[in-house]
Amino acid sequence: MKNPLNKRLPRELKGDIGKYIVIFIFLVATIGVVSGFLVAGTSMKTAFDESFDKNNIEDGNFVLESKMTDDLKTKLEDEDLTLYDNFYKEETYKSSTYRIYKMRNDVDKIELFDGEFPKADNEIALDRLFSENNDIKIGDKVTLDGKEYKVSGYVAFSDYTSLFKSNTDMMFDAQNFTVATVTDNAFDKISDKNLNYCYSYTFNDASYSEQEKHDKNTDIKELIAKNAELKNFIAEPDNQAIHFSGDDIGSDTSMMIILLYIVIAIMAFVFAVTTSNTIEKESAVIGTLRASGYTRGELLRHYLVLPVIVTLIGAVLGNILGYSVFKNVIADIYYGSYSLGPYVTLWNAYAFFITTVVPCIIMVLVNIFILSKKAFAFTS
C-alpha cells in the first residue's frame, strides 16, 4: 500500500514555496562562499606550507654594518648551518622604496608569476602586488639610481609574502614598498650607498624541534653580536614578511567554518518554525493519521524530508559554485592583499564533508529537537 504521507510533500512544499526558495538561495550562497573559501584557502595554505621546502626558505637572517669576516663565517658554520649572501640595495622611485636583490638560486627562491625573469642588465622583475597597486605593467620603465630598467615580469618572493619593509612595522605596505630582482651584473652596477649586508642561513639538521630552533637562533644571535656590529636579526618564526599571510589564511578558514555552522543552525531553526506552522494547520489530519496507526517517529521523519532535501541540494549546488566561481573570487581577495606565489586548486574532501554532510546533520538535529519538543504534540 502506498504511503499517503508521500502525497502530502508536494502540497506542503507548494504551501510554503516562497520561504523554501529564500532559504534555498541563502543556503546555496552561504555554502558556496564557504566552500570557495575552504577550497581556495586550503589550496593556498598548502602551497604556502610546501614553499618552505620547495623554495628553501631561510631559518633566519641578519644584517651587519659591514661585510662578514672569514673568522665570523667559520664560527657560524661551526654551528651546523649554511650561510648565504643575500645582500640588497634600496632605491627610491616615485616615493616608493625598491629593495633590490640579485637572482636567487639557493635560498628564499623567487617564483615567477608572469612575464620573465631579468636576462639583460636593463631589466627588472617586480613584486606582482606592488605592480598592480601602482599600475605598473610588464614592459613599463622604472628609474633607479639614475638608470632606466624595463619591467620584465611579476614575481613573488618566498620570504616576502607580505610586504613588510621592517619586521617591527605594524602593517605591511604593498603600495609604497616592493622587493625586486635584477641580474648579478646589474646589481653590482647600482650604487653601494644603500647596500645592506644581509645574510640568510638554514640549519643543516632539518629535524630540529621548534624549541631547538629557538635555542639555536638565540645562540647564533649572541655569537654574531659578540663578533660583529649587528644591525638586525630575524629568526624565521618571527619574520612577519614570511608568516603573516599564512597565519591569516589559516585563521580565516577556521572563522568561515564557524560562520557556516551558525548560519546552518539559524536556517534549521527557520525550517523548524515553518514546519511547526504547517503541523498546526494540519493538526486534524495528523490526528487521523495517528488514529490510523502512524507512529510519532514516522510523522517526524516525514516532516524532516523537505528540510533535508533542500539542504542537500543547496549544499551540492553551493559546492559546485564554490569550486567554479567563488574559489576564484576568494583567491583574488587573497592575491589582492598578499604577495603569494601561484597555487594549484586541490580537491578537498574535508571541505566537501563539512559543507555538505555536516549541514544536513545540523539540519536534522535542530529540527528533531524543536519539532519533538514543541510542534509534535501528537496524541494517540
Side-chain angles (χ1 to χ4, degrees), residues 102-174:
K102 294 181 180 181
M103 279 298 301
R104 303 168 176 176
N105 299 311
D106 301 314
V107 71
D108 298 335
K109 295 177 186 177
I110 304 169
E111 295 187 78
L112 182 66
F113 217 97
D114 195 9
E116 297 180 338
F117 285 119
K119 295 179 180 178
D121 292 348
N122 67 336
E123 293 181 336
I124 189 170
L126 301 178
D127 176 82
R128 173 199 55 82
L129 181 57
F130 171 85
S131 300
E132 292 177 354
N133 288 343
N134 289 276
D135 197 29
I136 299 174
K137 304 290 192 301
I138 294 176
D140 286 353
K141 304 292 182 62
V142 298
T143 303
L144 303 170
D145 191 32
K147 184 177 180 179
E148 194 172 69
Y149 295 85
K150 184 179 76 172
V151 178
S152 64
Y154 296 153
V155 294
F157 279 61
S158 58
D159 57 331
Y160 282 95
T161 58
S162 301
L163 290 177
F164 281 92
K165 183 177 181 181
S166 171
N167 201 51
T168 58
D169 289 344
M170 294 295 294
M171 184 52 66
F172 58 89
D173 184 1

Side-chain angles (χ1 to χ4, degrees), residues 58 60-62 82-86 107-108 198-202:
E58 65 189 38
N61 74 74
F62 56 92
T82 302
L83 285 167
Y84 306 89
D85 293 350
N86 215 354
V107 71
D108 298 335
C198 180
Y199 298 88
S200 297
Y201 63 87
T202 56

Side-chain angles (χ1 to χ4, degrees), residues 10 18 29 38 69 102 127 141 144 147 150 162 166 213 217 238 246 252 264 267-268 286 294 343 366:
L38 295 178
T69 63
K102 294 181 180 181
D127 176 82
K141 304 292 182 62
L144 303 170
K147 184 177 180 179
K150 184 179 76 172
S162 301
S166 171
K213 285 184 178 181
N217 284 322
D238 303 323
D252 283 348
I264 295 299
M267 291 297 98
I286 292 172
Y294 284 91
Y343 84 102
V366 171

Side-chain angles (χ1 to χ4, degrees), residues 52 54 74 84 98 107 115 133 150 160 169 256 287 321 371:
F52 280 77
K54 174 185 174 183
T74 300
Y84 306 89
Y98 286 63
V107 71
N133 288 343
K150 184 179 76 172
Y160 282 95
D169 289 344
M256 291 305 295
L321 291 175
L371 295 180

